[in-house]
């Protein structure tokens, strides 16, 4: 798989955008069930966990808001009848959903 290089500034902007999207989705309550259909919150949080250490030098779990964000995502997943953490079956379903577009 080819590598994509981002500047430090781009990583900061991407991280900020991801954080805002997670915040907005959690605030709205994921009414359209994007987590169940596409894994939106899980995948955004995973991307955030990869980008933040490079962009800022720390992981989201090391912030004041990171652990709370994780708890809120787990609650959304539970309300949608999903396990606390994404399964391989879910990930395959998300990939199939995206490939059908």
């Amino acid at each position: 798989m080819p590598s994509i290089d981002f500047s430090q500034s781009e990583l900061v902007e991407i991280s900020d955008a991801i954080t805002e999207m997670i915040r907005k989705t959690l605030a709205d309550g994921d009414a359209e069930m994007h987590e169940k259909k596409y894994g939106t919150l899980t995948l955004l949080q995973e991307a955030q966990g990869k980008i933040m250490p490079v962009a800022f030098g720390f992981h989201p779990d090391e912030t004041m808001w990171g652990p709370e964000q994780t708890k809120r995502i787990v609650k959304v997943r539970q309300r949608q009848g999903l396990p606390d953490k994404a399964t391989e079956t879910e990930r395959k379903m998300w990939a199939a959903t995206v490939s059908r577009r």
Side-chain angles (χ1 to χ4, degrees), residues 59-97:
H59 192 272
D61 290 343
E62 299 173 272
T63 66
M64 291 173 36
W65 51 265
E68 180 60 28
Q69 174 183 280
T70 298
K71 287 178 191 173
R72 293 182 68 201
I73 291 171
V74 167
K75 285 182 183 176
V76 167
R77 291 183 55 78
Q78 290 171 342
R79 279 195 305 271
Q80 293 180 11
L82 301 169
D84 293 358
K85 294 189 183 245
T87 64
E88 282 305 311
T89 302
E90 281 181 89
R91 291 176 188 283
K92 287 177 183 173
M93 184 187 69
W94 300 336
T97 300

Side-chain angles (χ1 to χ4, degrees), residues 23-71:
R23 187 203 62 73
K24 183 178 179 348
T25 302
L26 289 171
D28 292 347
D30 193 18
E32 295 185 25
M33 297 185 71
H34 286 142
E35 178 62 18
K36 189 167 191 167
K37 294 176 191 172
Y38 312 110
T40 302
L41 289 167
T42 295
L43 295 174
L44 285 171
Q45 186 177 44
E46 288 173 357
Q48 183 182 53
K50 292 176 182 177
I51 292 170
M52 282 187 66
V54 178
F56 300 107
F58 54 86
H59 192 272
D61 290 343
E62 299 173 272
T63 66
M64 291 173 36
W65 51 265
E68 180 60 28
Q69 174 183 280
T70 298
K71 287 178 191 173

Side-chain angles (χ1 to χ4, degrees), residues 4-31:
I4 299 173
D5 295 319
F6 292 101
S7 71
Q8 186 74 21
S9 296
E10 289 170 323
L11 288 173
V12 168
E13 291 299 320
I14 293 166
S15 179
D16 288 350
I18 289 171
T19 300
E20 181 58 23
M21 188 63 200
I22 291 172
R23 187 203 62 73
K24 183 178 179 348
T25 302
L26 289 171
D28 292 347
D30 193 18

